[in-house]
Amino acid sequence: MFPYGAISRVLRQSFLSSSRNLHLHASLLKPNTPAPMFIQTQETPNPNSLKFLPGKRVLESGTKDFPSVETALSSPLAKQLFRIEGVKSIFFGPDFITISKTDDEIEWKILRPEIYATIMDFFASGLPVLTENVPSSDTEINADDSETVQMIKELLDTRIRPTVQEDGGDVVFVGMEDGIVKLKLQGSCTSCPSSLVTLKNGIQNMLQFYIPDVKGVEQAEDVIDNIAKKEFEEMEKKMKE
């Protein structure tokens, strides 16, 4: 058994293992707009992901993950960001945007200015970030949830997700089967070198400490993302016919 304080430190260390640098970018939204827009960026534990804080509300509630351009049809902002060469995936939090680049060869100093400009131009346009409503959180407790699942969701929502979101990512509850909790890591956590450590040493230990029914934690497969990709490919094929 592990005391909560020790587990919390392990969880945080998994995500804060790399040093952070804070960058600030300011520019006018439009020539006739006097108030400047400040965009901060923060490094994440994943060297290929960067967290952008526009100083404005990005989503009214919840989070939204766009692991590929095929999944960005519901977001004008995500579609514009995907047009930037080198952008691999996008994640929206309540007040931040996490951008992940395709590989180490592409430098942030090349990508950052174009991302700044895209974000500023978009917020100046007044367009909605999403054209569809964000579904309820996967950690929202439902009436038909078992007592164990309710406890898992409460722990995720109150003690785990806030820490993960600080580093530009999120963790989503997918399900539980035979004592194995299936979670999906999003944003900067998706391809982070320390994601497995976080999943096992941080999240799993905390859930097992408070909930004896939890036997382990596994990362869920991206079934939904694969379906979206297949539908997008079929649509492209029809357009070419």
Side-chain angles (χ1 to χ4, degrees):
M1 303 295 281
F2 296 82
Y4 167 67
I7 295 173
S8 181
R9 286 194 294 272
V10 171
L11 180 64
R12 179 163 291 279
Q13 287 171 0
S14 298
F15 282 92
L16 302 181
S17 56
S18 63
S19 60
R20 291 182 174 186
N21 294 322
L22 183 66
H23 303 277
L24 186 65
H25 181 83
S27 179
L28 292 180
L29 294 175
K30 293 181 179 179
N32 297 327
T33 305
M37 181 179 186
F38 293 94
I39 299 179
Q40 297 180 6
T41 60
Q42 290 181 353
E43 292 184 354
T44 74
N46 185 350
N48 286 332
S49 296
L50 198 61
K51 183 178 177 182
F52 292 78
L53 297 96
K56 293 179 175 290
R57 198 74 183 171
V58 178
L59 295 180
E60 291 303 320
S61 62
T63 59
K64 188 70 174 176
D65 189 37
F66 303 98
S68 63
V69 64
E70 296 89 353
T71 61
L73 299 178
S74 63
S75 173
L77 174 56
K79 285 191 287 186
Q80 290 184 26
L81 289 168
F82 269 120
R83 292 173 185 167
I84 302 173
E85 186 176 355
V87 171
K88 179 183 179 182
S89 62
I90 299 163
F91 179 81
F92 293 161
D95 59 357
F96 67 87
I97 300 167
T98 298
I99 306 290
S100 297
K101 57 190 179 79
T102 52
D103 52 56
D104 297 331
E105 299 299 321
I106 300 175
E107 297 183 16
W108 282 116
K109 66 180 181 181
I110 303 299
L111 281 177
R112 192 181 286 119
E114 195 168 355
I115 294 173
Y116 281 146
T118 300
I119 293 174
M120 287 187 294
D121 289 345
F122 180 82
F123 279 103
S125 72
L127 292 171
V129 173
L130 296 175
T131 54
E132 298 177 3
N133 292 330
V134 180
S136 60
S137 169
D138 289 287
T139 54
E140 183 176 327
I141 296 176
N142 302 315
D144 57 347
D145 286 338
S146 66
E147 184 178 349
T148 298
V149 170
Q150 289 182 23
M151 292 174 65
I152 291 170
K153 287 183 174 182
E154 184 176 356
L155 277 173
L156 287 172
D157 218 25
T158 59
R159 299 189 178 181
I160 295 174
R161 294 184 71 204
T163 302
V164 178
Q165 289 179 9
E166 279 185 16
D167 292 288
D170 202 359
V171 56
V172 174
F173 176 81
V174 176
M176 181 178 180
E177 186 176 354
D178 299 326
I180 303 299
V181 179
K182 295 188 177 182
L183 304 174
K184 181 180 177 182
L185 298 175
Q186 298 180 332
S188 62
C189 310
T190 304
S191 57
C192 180
S194 63
S195 61
L196 183 59
V197 176
T198 300
L199 201 64
K200 295 295 183 181
N201 292 1
I203 299 175
Q204 178 173 289
N205 284 351
M206 180 179 288
L207 292 179
Q208 288 179 325
F209 177 79
Y210 286 101
I211 309 171
D213 290 343
V214 174
K215 298 177 181 178
V217 173
E218 293 181 359
Q219 185 163 351
E221 296 180 1
D222 293 332
V223 177
I224 295 177
D225 298 339
N226 292 334
I227 293 174
K229 184 176 182 180
K230 184 178 180 180
E231 290 177 347
F232 184 82
E233 290 173 350
E234 289 177 354
M235 184 178 67
E236 273 194 325
K237 186 178 179 181
K238 290 180 181 179
M239 291 176 65
K240 291 178 181 179
E241 291 177 352

